[in-house]
Each structure stands twice: as C-alpha cells, then as structure tokens.
C-alpha cells in the first residue's frame, strides 16, 4: 500500500546514552505534531533496536533495522536474523544501501535472498537503489536503476512485491550536501513507477511507496515531498538531530 514515510537511517552513529536521548526527544516531539498521515520510522544501530521498540510501543513511530542476514538462525558469527528482528517488533529493514553494496560487497543476488527472508517474517524491506556519479554523467542512471530492481526484486510475485518499499538514493547525493533537484527526483521516481508498471501492472506501480534519499534536510524536504511520485524520504545525517528530523517529518 502506498504510504507517506519519513525514515531515519542513523547508520553507525550515537552511543547508547546518546541514542536514548535522541529517541526520547523524537518521541516527545511527535506527540505535538500533525504528521498528515505520514509514518515516521527510526532505524538505529541494531544494539538500540530493543530500546527503540520499547519507546515506540507508546509513541507515534515504528522501528526499522539497518541490516539483516538471510537465514533464520545458524553459524553466521556477528549476524542478525529476521526472526530475531521480528520478535523485537521491527517493522522495516533497509537493504541494498549503497554503503553495504560498496563496503561489504553485497551483490544483487544476496539482496534477493535478504528480501525473501524479510518477507517470510513479514518485515517490510526498504530496498535502496541508486547510481554513482559517473553513471549519471554517462546518462546510464535509468538503466542502472532498472537493473538493480530487476536483479533483486522483480522475481517476486506481485503480492510479495507490493509489500516492498523502494528508496531511490543517488550515491552522489549521499552525505555530500548535494541533493538531487526536485526535477531529478521526480524524473527518476516516475521512471521507477513506469518500470514497475511494465513488469507488474499500473495499479501495483501506483500503490508502491518510493522514497527519496540523499542530503535531504529540513530546507529541501518540502519541495521534494511535493513531487507527485515522491512519497517521502530516507534520511541520513539530518535524522540525527531531533528538531531537523521533525521538520522533515512534517514537510508533507
Ligand atoms: P544523507 O541524508 O546523510 O545524505 O544520507 C542518506 C542516506 O544514505 C540514507 O540512507
């Protein structure tokens, strides 16, 4: 189902005590605002998920993980399974983030198995796709995004695909302060919807939630979210400050 979502990807930031403060600040601030139907998702480091879901139980946000290993249990030292996330009431899990593709060599095939294992446990994948700058400069960005979707998602039957949230995150915009323009974001989101319509059907494309990520902040969120095919944002740096994150979450 198509939703408005603002998700904060904290990445590897905040100590436990800092995380407690930030989650409490966000929870309190959310009591005071009108989200206009949008859903706020916090994706802290895995160590803080239990604390976040405890607070979320009495607050107006849901919790996502930043990563998962595609197996229910087993000899995978250091990894976290979808079953473990599910028992902690995790609603979403980010996968395919460009940082994991780049630093941890995650392939499209591996991401495919992550999508499947999350869906098996009713955890919603937030599937990230995005091109690097040389690909955009070579005008290859549309084919890159199409390939990423095809390789990791388009094997899914329609009922499963409809549960997935997509985040378009141009790699050149992540952490750089260079945001995609509203026109660039709209153009790609509309393209993604077209690709989904061609693989599945127009109704499925119309009901897919597609978020934008990459240097989204309190100043530019409103014009990005006003685009017809932009359903919200996946926020990195600006999600680490309660006031700015709230400003973004109320930008619909
Ligand atoms: P920034 O908002 O810091 O550019 O990061 C975006 C991102 O990677 C979210 O997943």
């Amino acid at each position: 189902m198509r939703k408005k979502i603002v998700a904060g990807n904290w990445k590897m930031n905040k100590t436990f005590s800092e995380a407690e403060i930030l989650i409490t600040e966000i929870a309190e601030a959310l009591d005071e605002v009108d989200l206009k139907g949008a859903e706020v998702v916090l994706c802290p480091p895995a160590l803080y998920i239990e604390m976040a879901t405890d607070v979320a139980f009495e607050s107006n946000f849901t919790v996502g993980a930043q990563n998962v290993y595609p197996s229910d249990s087993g000899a995978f030292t250091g990894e976290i399974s979808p079953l473990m996330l599910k028992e902690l009431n995790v609603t979403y899990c980010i996968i395919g983030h460009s940082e994991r593709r780049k630093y941890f060599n995650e392939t499209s095939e591996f991401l495919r198995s992550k999508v499947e294992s999350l869906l098996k446990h009713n955890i919603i994948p937030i599937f990230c796709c995005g091109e690097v700058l040389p690909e955009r400069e070579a005008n290859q960005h549309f084919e890159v995004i199409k390939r990423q979707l095809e390789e990791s998602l388009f094997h899914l039957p329609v009922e499963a695909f409809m549960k997935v949230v997509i985040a378009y995150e141009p790699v050149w915009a992540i952490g750089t302060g260079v945001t995609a323009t509203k026109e660039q974001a709209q153009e790609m989101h509309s393209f993604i919807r077209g690709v989904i319509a061609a693989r599945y059907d127009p109704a499925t494309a119309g009901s897919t939630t597609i978020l934008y990520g990459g240097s989204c902040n309190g100043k530019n969120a409103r014009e990005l979210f006003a685009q017809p095919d932009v359903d919200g944002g996946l926020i990195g740096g600006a999600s680490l400050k309660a006031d700015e994150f709230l400003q973004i979450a109320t930008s619909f």
Side-chain angles (χ1 to χ4, degrees):
M1 195 193 52
R2 190 159 169 184
K3 292 194 230 176
K4 292 188 281 187
I5 295 176
V6 170
N9 174 9
W10 290 16
K11 308 190 180 182
M12 196 178 71
N13 290 295
K14 303 286 177 190
T15 64
F16 187 89
S17 50
E18 289 168 347
E20 243 179 335
I21 293 169
L22 181 55
I23 289 170
T24 308
E25 281 175 353
I26 292 171
E28 284 173 2
L30 283 172
D31 284 343
E32 310 293 324
V33 297
D34 179 6
L35 291 172
K36 306 217 179 86
E39 181 175 344
V40 170
V41 184
L42 301 187
C43 305
L47 282 173
Y48 315 149
I49 283 176
E50 188 178 2
M51 185 238 296
T53 50
D54 277 353
V55 178
F57 194 65
E58 304 218 314
S59 183
N60 195 16
F61 67 90
T62 51
V63 177
Q66 295 178 19
N67 189 26
V68 70
Y69 190 81
S71 186
D72 286 357
S73 63
F76 302 102
T77 301
E79 295 297 314
I80 294 174
S81 88
L83 197 60
M84 298 170 186
L85 296 177
K86 190 66 199 170
E87 204 172 303
L88 291 185
N89 295 313
V90 164
T91 310
Y92 294 90
C93 182
I94 298 168
I95 62 160
H97 194 282
S98 58
E99 288 150 15
R100 295 213 59 91
R101 292 180 194 256
K102 180 176 175 192
Y103 302 126
F104 304 98
N105 302 316
E106 294 197 359
T107 63
S108 291
E109 197 176 10
F110 190 47
L111 297 177
R112 195 157 64 220
S113 58
K114 288 191 178 200
V115 172
E116 285 164 11
S117 71
L118 288 169
L119 290 174
K120 181 176 150 201
H121 293 286
N122 276 319
I123 298 172
I124 302 168
I126 299 178
F127 178 82
C128 302
C129 55
E131 81 284 359
V132 296
L133 190 57
E135 289 166 339
R136 179 162 279 265
E137 286 172 344
N139 209 25
Q140 293 167 345
H141 43 299
F142 294 116
E143 67 187 82
V144 167
I145 302 305
K146 181 165 182 267
R147 192 169 60 239
Q148 289 174 347
L149 298 172
E150 281 171 352
E151 289 180 352
S152 298
L153 295 181
F154 281 1
H155 66 293
L156 294 171
V158 66
E159 311 77 51
F161 178 83
M162 282 174 74
K163 297 184 181 138
V164 177
V165 169
I166 292 174
Y168 169 58
E169 298 207 313
V171 181
W172 46 270
I174 295 177
T176 58
V178 181
T179 320
T181 62
K182 59 184 192 311
E183 292 82 10
Q184 286 172 322
Q186 169 55 26
E187 183 184 38
M188 184 56 86
H189 283 227
S190 162
F191 172 79
I192 291 171
R193 243 179 255 290
V195 171
I196 297 168
R199 161 62 181 90
Y200 295 98
D201 56 80
T204 302
S207 65
T208 302
T209 305
I210 309 177
L211 310 180
Y212 168 80
S215 297
C216 186
N217 57 40
K219 291 198 181 71
N220 58 33
R222 189 166 293 278
E223 65 173 18
L224 287 163
F225 297 175
Q227 301 309 304
D229 288 301
V230 177
D231 301 315
L234 181 55
I235 320 298
S239 73
L240 299 171
K241 289 168 268 170
D243 51 352
E244 185 160 22
F245 186 59
L246 260 292
Q247 199 183 339
I248 297 170
T250 51
S251 290
F252 289 99

